[in-house]
Amino acid sequence: SRIMQLRLSLHSPKKGSDSMAAYLLKEKSISDELALTSWPVSNEDMVLYILGGLSSEYSTLVTSVTTRGLSISVVDLHGLLLNEEIRCQSSISNLATATANMTSTQ
């Protein structure tokens, strides 16, 4: 059935090489479709589905969110993930610059 396909597809998306915004939009669109079929996804479940699709570069944030003992809204998680993506990209950019500088001075 369509509902089963949507529920299954909510579990399967992985962020992969998508931008964080694209990944979150993909998850939200599936959740919205389920809500229209009278199978709304709870905030807690949505947070878990989103976290479950992230790669290991987000493991520190995933651990922080899952061990904090308080629930987090999908909206707040969205903000945290977008900030974390910027931080990860900045770290990669800084490493590339440092490597290039080290190579050129040798």
Side-chain angles (χ1 to χ4, degrees):
S1 78
R2 179 72 181 141
I3 293 172
M4 290 301 289
Q5 288 173 334
L6 287 169
R7 292 179 74 195
L8 184 58
S9 64
L10 195 58
H11 291 271
S12 51
K14 299 289 182 218
K15 180 186 171 299
S17 61
D18 290 344
S19 71
M20 186 59 72
Y23 169 64
L24 293 171
L25 185 61
K26 186 174 14 178
E27 287 284 86
K28 183 181 182 332
S29 67
I30 297 168
S31 173
D32 289 349
E33 272 194 77
L34 278 168
L36 291 173
T37 62
S38 301
W39 281 88
V41 180
S42 72
N43 181 78
E44 291 80 14
D45 285 345
M46 195 64 197
V47 166
L48 291 175
Y49 296 142
I50 291 168
L51 293 176
L54 298 175
S55 61
S56 61
E57 67 185 323
Y58 293 93
S59 61
T60 302
L61 182 105
V62 171
T63 300
S64 172
V65 169
T66 56
T67 60
R68 64 192 271 176
L70 303 170
S71 66
I72 184 171
S73 71
V74 171
V75 172
D76 288 344
L77 179 63
H78 187 131
L80 283 174
L81 289 171
L82 291 174
N83 286 335
E84 186 69 6
E85 179 181 48
I86 291 167
R87 190 193 66 73
C88 287
Q89 288 172 344
S90 175
S91 295
I92 290 168
S93 175
N94 290 342
L95 179 61
T97 302
T99 303
N101 288 342
M102 201 167 67
T103 304
S104 67
T105 58
Q106 290 180 347

